[in-house]
Amino acid sequence: MATIEQNSGYATLINVFTVAPDRAADLAALLHTATEKVMRHQPGFRSANIHLSIDGTRVVNYAPMGQRRGLQRDAGHPTTQQHMSDAAALAISFDPHLYTVESVHER
């Protein structure tokens, strides 16, 4: 399990998919399978967390990854592009962005 650390130098991909509720479970399953078979074997992979909204209208992929330069390279990889194409086909829309961790709070 990856630890979330402030100022780690890593980037985190957060991709929010808007989806019809009857396709949400299919999209979550596709992301799970693609992560296990493809993404976790890519350089820079640290972890991935697939979240499904309670109302079934959003699926979120939260993935702390490697350095930003490597992420831009990996995004152009044909296998990665196929994975994103398959996910996009199930979604109404999707909104991927890279983030840095600016603050971490624990109890």
Side-chain angles (χ1 to χ4, degrees), residues 3-101:
T3 302
I4 299 173
E5 298 175 17
Q6 182 176 335
N7 303 318
S8 67
Y10 292 102
T12 299
L13 170 69
I14 301 176
N15 194 353
V16 179
F17 295 86
T18 301
V19 63
D22 62 332
R23 297 186 114 188
D26 292 339
L27 178 56
L30 181 141
L31 292 171
H32 169 84
T33 300
T35 299
E36 282 298 309
K37 290 184 177 180
V38 177
M39 301 309 291
R40 68 187 291 257
H41 303 288
Q42 298 298 317
F45 179 86
R46 294 182 70 213
S47 70
N49 305 276
I50 311 302
H51 302 264
L52 179 58
S53 67
I54 300 297
D55 66 0
T57 63
R58 303 279 190 286
V59 177
V60 176
N61 182 4
Y62 177 91
M65 301 297 280
Q67 303 296 326
R68 282 178 248 175
R69 287 186 309 272
L71 288 172
Q72 291 166 341
R73 179 198 64 233
D74 296 343
H77 190 278
T79 309
T80 302
Q81 292 207 345
Q82 183 61 53
H83 156 67
M84 286 307 301
S85 178
D86 293 345
L90 288 172
I92 295 167
S93 66
F94 57 97
D95 190 25
H97 291 278
L98 292 175
Y99 296 85
T100 58
V101 177

